[in-house]
């Protein structure tokens, strides 16, 4: 099995990826949060910094683009090629209303003839191989079949399937029942994404769906940074590993960001870290509500000193169903309005 790290806008930026790779293994590719070009001009400073080679030394990075405009895609892919990257990923999965209303992200799944014209344009001129991350469809999972038929006409290097429709947002469960038939209907190498939160989840999925040699994990890996390596037979998460890694992140973000921005970033990360601990509702709430870095550190100290890790390790969403928890995360990150 191969494991990819999913992109999480506002979480898995370049320093996060560097610090993760310095302490943990098992990730074959890190996908960047999307770059959203609004003109055939340079990327924003923030976007550029995130994909700058010096910010990602030696890491297997795949930059992601979110657009519906052929020219913006080609221009951005050229910039990424000049930076030395060898693959680009097209976002056809983002469900945020503000994104889909403009026909981008999962909005591309709404109209097959518009999608065809867009794909014709990008595959005719792309300077880099293109992989795609998408949902099963706009409304119904069965839409995946005509989508796969259309994508099969282009040299898509890899297709990452998040097994929900756009209408599901992140609610309910991924629709895994359709995956094997989908795999049979395409020659494109498929990667599975959605709700893999523990080693057991990953191994169960791999056993049930052998057509998927690769999985992409997001929240599960942000929460348990040792998840990929442990699935592949390496050491599972320990309290010492998690504490040292959290200290790395805290040191970096408090040194590089102002106190307010560092607090926002660490609160976000702290919630994922807390999802590893048994019965940690109290520190979890303190992390969410922390108004100062001191209050945040007190909550994390309580968490690390007083609460045990789940055994075996895994992401638990403070009693909320996983789908609801991720919807809340996205709303907080302003990705769903
Ligand atoms: C806060 C947040 C930000 C996200 N940003 C992106 C993004 O920039 N690009 C993308 O393709 N998916 C994005 N996603 C979706 C994840 O990559 C992934 O598909 C989703 O979390 C489901 O995988 P998981 O169950 O392993 O977490 C985001 C998800 C979250 C929670």
């Amino acid at each position: 099995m191969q494991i990819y790290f999913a992109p999480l806008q506002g979480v898995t930026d370049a320093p996060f990826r560097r610090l993760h790779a310095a302490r943990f293994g098992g990730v074959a590719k890190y996908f960047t949060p999307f770059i959203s070009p609004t003109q055939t001009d340079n990327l924003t400073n923030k976007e550029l910094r995130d994909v700058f080679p010096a910010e990602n030394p030696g890491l297997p990075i795949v930059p992601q683009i979110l657009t519906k405009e052929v020219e913006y895609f080609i221009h951005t892919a050229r910039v990424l090629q000049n930076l030395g990257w060898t693959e680009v990923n097209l976002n056809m999965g983002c469900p945020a209303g503000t994104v889909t209303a403009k026909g981008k992200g999962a909005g591309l799944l709404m109209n097959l003839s518009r999608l065809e014209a867009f794909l014709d344009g990008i595959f005719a001129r792309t300077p880099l191989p293109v992989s795609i991350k998408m949902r099963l469809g706009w409304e119904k999972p069965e839409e995946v079949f005509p989508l796969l038929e259309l994508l099969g006409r282009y040299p898509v290097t890899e297709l990452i399937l998040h097994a929900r429709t756009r209408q599901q947002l992140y609610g309910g469960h991924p629709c895994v029942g359709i995956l094997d038939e989908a795999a049979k209907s395409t020659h494109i190498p498929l990667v599975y994404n959605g709700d893999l939160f523990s080693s057991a989840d990953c191994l169960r999925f791999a056993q049930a769906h052998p057509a998927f040699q690769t999985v992409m994990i997001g929240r599960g890996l942000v929460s348990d940074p040792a998840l990929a390596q442990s699935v592949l037979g390496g050491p599972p998460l320990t309290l010492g590993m998690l504490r040292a890694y959290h200290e790395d992140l805290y040191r970096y973000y408090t040194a590089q960001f102002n106190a307010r921005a560092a607090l926002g970033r660490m609160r976000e990360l702290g919630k994922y870290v807390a999802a590893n601990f048994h019965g940690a509702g109290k520190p979890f709430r303190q992390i969410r509500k922390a108004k100062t870095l001191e209050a945040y550190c007190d909550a994390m100290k309580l968490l690390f000193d007083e609460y045990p890790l789940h055994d075996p390790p895994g992401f638990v969403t403070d009693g909320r169903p996983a789908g609801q928890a991720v919807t809340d995360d996205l709303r907080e990150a302003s990705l769903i309005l």
Side-chain angles (χ1 to χ4, degrees), residues 123-320:
F123 280 98
R125 291 167 50 215
T126 179
L128 289 176
V130 179
S131 61
I132 292 178
K133 180 167 182 274
M134 78 169 195
R135 288 174 171 252
L136 295 174
W138 176 256
E139 203 170 338
K140 299 196 191 89
E142 296 73 28
E143 291 167 29
V144 76
F145 297 109
L147 281 165
L148 288 173
E149 195 280 315
L150 175 61
L151 295 180
R153 297 184 219 155
Y154 305 93
V156 178
T157 56
E158 215 167 31
L159 178 63
I160 301 144
L161 268 182
H162 178 74
R164 288 185 172 92
T165 61
R166 189 277 164 177
Q167 299 306 6
Q168 276 182 279
L169 297 173
Y170 285 91
H173 294 290
C175 180
V176 290
I178 206 165
L179 292 176
D180 296 337
E181 210 183 328
K184 276 195 208 120
S185 76
T186 183
H187 62 271
I188 305 172
L190 295 180
V191 175
Y192 172 78
N193 170 244
D195 294 23
L196 299 177
F197 297 128
S198 65
S199 284
D201 286 348
C202 296
L203 298 174
R204 212 178 301 119
F205 178 84
Q207 226 165 29
H209 305 282
F212 289 77
Q213 296 286 315
T214 306
V215 297
M216 171 184 264
I217 308 178
R219 292 161 294 154
L221 251 172
V222 175
S223 171
D224 171 0
L227 179 55
Q229 71 181 32
S230 67
V231 171
L232 301 177
L237 191 69
T238 63
L239 197 60
M241 277 180 201
L242 188 58
R243 200 163 198 159
Y245 174 60
H246 176 263
E247 275 168 22
D248 287 349
L249 292 163
Y250 185 85
R251 212 173 300 121
Y252 181 86
Y253 288 115
T254 51
Q256 297 298 322
F257 290 9
N258 65 40
R260 199 180 130 90
L263 177 62
R265 176 57 62 100
M266 290 314 301
R267 267 200 316 235
E268 189 61 26
L269 291 169
K271 284 188 300 178
Y272 283 103
V273 169
N276 288 294
F277 289 81
H278 187 68
K282 184 175 169 198
F284 184 89
R285 283 188 293 280
Q286 289 181 358
I287 292 165
R288 279 180 82 101
K289 288 187 187 153
K291 296 237 174 339
T292 61
L293 284 166
E294 290 68 33
Y296 173 82
C297 288
D298 288 346
M300 293 309 286
K301 185 171 181 331
L302 176 68
L303 182 72
F304 280 118
D305 287 352
E306 306 284 335
Y307 291 84
L309 286 180
H310 291 300
D311 183 21
F315 174 98
V316 173
T317 55
D318 67 322
R320 292 172 297 169

Side-chain angles (χ1 to χ4, degrees), residues 83-124:
L83 289 171
W85 302 119
T86 55
E87 175 188 339
V88 67
N89 182 261
L90 171 65
N91 182 319
M92 289 180 25
C94 181
T98 45
V99 167
T100 58
K102 294 181 192 134
K104 299 192 275 186
L108 286 166
L109 308 177
M110 253 190 292
N111 181 318
L112 280 188
S113 47
R114 261 206 314 254
L115 177 60
E116 182 176 4
F118 176 63
L119 295 174
D120 280 349
I122 67 172
F123 280 98

